[in-house]
Amino acid sequence: MNEIPIVRSVPSEASTRHFDPILRPELHELYTARAARLRELAQGHELEAYLQLAADIAQAQAQVSEQAQSDADAVDPVAIARQGAWTAHLDALLEQLAPSASPAISPHLDALRAMSTQARREAGLALAQNQFDAVSQALAPFLWAALSLEVALAARALPLPANSKEESASCPVCGGAPVASLIHKGTRQGLRYLHCSLCECEWHMVRAKCTNCADAGDLDYLSFETTEAVVRAESCGHCHSYLKVISQERDAAAESVADDLASLVLDDAATGEGYGRTGLNPFALPDQAL
């Protein structure tokens, strides 16, 4: 475990300002910003090669998203995975990634190309149902990127759910798990939104309460070195879960997926203290079902 001491801080006050209950970030802009942040964080990082690969996948998603459309009639990840239209995005992503793929990555791209349509659908369905141990860890990030892109496109093409103003531990648009909480900058300064790992939407949740069980009485914020860290782990003594909080107030370039992935050492510290993670990162999927 990392030897840097863990710092604890108290929760922030909840905001009472007007807010949009659900945000649907424009996908090309989102993926481009994610790729840039991943490349920034990769410099000198112990996971530099993997962060660079994640950046390449995010940039490929940005390029494919400009031409892609969804024909889904519902934002249902299981139905979308089973239907299989998302596999066309996989082929497009592989085409984008192939020219600059390293010798270590090229065999994985070849394996994905060689997968039958049925095998791809089965893998996508397993991911949509959180059966992560059924999919090769080496191939899962690419498959997830394609499936997630289709679900994200559907989430932007179809109306928002009727219950979109209700706070929820899971995404109200697609039911996916959050990557992390994001404290916004700019016109939404200080507001907290949870970022969906699957459809890339965000939903509001007041601060100073657990994102998993909604308890506000026993929260702790864990970080390394300083209470003003950009990334902290919000842990709950009531349900013994945690989810990271990433602050754009403290770093305007912070991005949910990128900053979460670059701070996996904080996950080790939080789990070492007895807390279980409630969210997931598309580039660090668990090796077993949630």
Side-chain angles (χ1 to χ4, degrees), residues 233-249:
E234 181 184 71
S235 60
C236 177
H238 182 258
C239 68
H240 304 289
S241 73
Y242 79 93
L243 190 70
K244 288 180 193 165
V245 181
I246 297 168
S247 177
Q248 290 183 334
E249 291 182 308

Side-chain angles (χ1 to χ4, degrees), residues 132-154:
F132 303 116
D133 52 353
V135 182
S136 163
Q137 286 187 298
L139 305 184
F142 304 95
L143 293 162
W144 185 281
L147 176 62
S148 173
L149 176 55
E150 177 67 14
V151 177
L153 289 166

Side-chain angles (χ1 to χ4, degrees), residues 5-77:
I6 297 175
V7 179
R8 290 172 164 80
S9 58
V10 297
S12 301
E13 292 296 322
S15 172
T16 58
R17 292 186 285 126
H18 170 75
F19 59 87
D20 297 308
I22 294 178
L23 306 178
R24 294 186 284 190
E26 195 278 324
L27 290 177
H28 182 269
E29 181 179 338
L30 172 74
Y31 293 137
T32 299
R34 179 173 298 163
R37 181 62 168 177
L38 282 162
R39 292 193 176 99
E40 176 187 351
L41 295 171
Q43 300 303 312
H45 197 284
E46 61 181 354
L47 298 177
E48 180 173 357
Y50 190 64
L51 293 176
Q52 292 285 5
L53 172 61
D56 291 342
I57 294 174
Q59 192 60 57
Q61 287 177 297
Q63 293 166 322
V64 174
S65 70
E66 289 191 293
Q67 305 297 326
Q69 294 182 334
S70 174
D71 295 326
D73 56 10
V75 190
D76 181 344

Side-chain angles (χ1 to χ4, degrees), residues 30-270:
L30 172 74
Y31 293 137
T32 299
R34 179 173 298 163
R37 181 62 168 177
L38 282 162
R39 292 193 176 99
E40 176 187 351
L41 295 171
Q43 300 303 312
H45 197 284
E46 61 181 354
L47 298 177
E48 180 173 357
Y50 190 64
L51 293 176
Q52 292 285 5
L53 172 61
D56 291 342
I57 294 174
Q59 192 60 57
Q61 287 177 297
Q63 293 166 322
V64 174
S65 70
E66 289 191 293
Q67 305 297 326
Q69 294 182 334
S70 174
D71 295 326
D73 56 10
V75 190
D76 181 344
V78 171
I80 288 172
R82 186 177 286 118
Q83 192 273 337
W86 64 274
T87 62
H89 303 326
L90 179 60
D91 289 324
L93 291 174
L94 295 177
E95 184 178 351
Q96 292 290 334
L97 291 166
S100 59
S102 69
I105 299 303
S106 290
H108 302 320
L109 304 187
D110 291 339
L112 289 162
R113 289 191 198 92
M115 288 181 72
S116 67
T117 300
Q118 182 61 26
R120 289 181 175 189
R121 289 185 181 184
E122 290 175 356
L125 186 59
L127 292 176
Q129 295 175 325
N130 293 335
Q131 297 171 355
F132 303 116
D133 52 353
V135 182
S136 163
Q137 286 187 298
L139 305 184
F142 304 95
L143 293 162
W144 185 281
L147 176 62
S148 173
L149 176 55
E150 177 67 14
V151 177
L153 289 166
R156 283 149 183 79
L158 296 169
L160 291 173
N163 63 344
S164 61
K165 293 185 179 181
E166 298 179 7
E167 293 188 342
S168 171
S170 58
C171 178
V173 178
C174 76
V179 178
S181 293
L182 184 68
I183 307 300
H184 276 249
K185 60 182 178 180
T187 58
R188 298 185 181 89
Q189 183 87 14
L191 294 178
R192 174 168 79 165
Y193 285 80
L194 276 65
H195 189 97
C196 182
S197 58
L198 192 52
C199 75
E200 305 283 5
C201 292
E202 297 182 358
W203 67 102
H204 179 266
M205 183 172 288
V206 297
R207 298 168 71 168
K209 77 173 186 178
C210 176
T211 59
N212 184 55
C213 72
D215 185 78
D218 194 7
L219 292 180
D220 208 0
Y221 285 68
L222 311 180
S223 59
F224 289 134
E225 295 186 323
T226 173
T227 58
E228 298 302 310
V230 174
V231 181
R232 297 173 296 157
E234 181 184 71
S235 60
C236 177
H238 182 258
C239 68
H240 304 289
S241 73
Y242 79 93
L243 190 70
K244 288 180 193 165
V245 181
I246 297 168
S247 177
Q248 290 183 334
E249 291 182 308
R250 298 173 181 180
D251 188 334
E255 196 278 328
S256 300
V257 171
D259 283 74
D260 177 72
L261 186 64
S263 59
L264 293 181
V265 65
L266 184 55
D267 292 89
D268 292 338

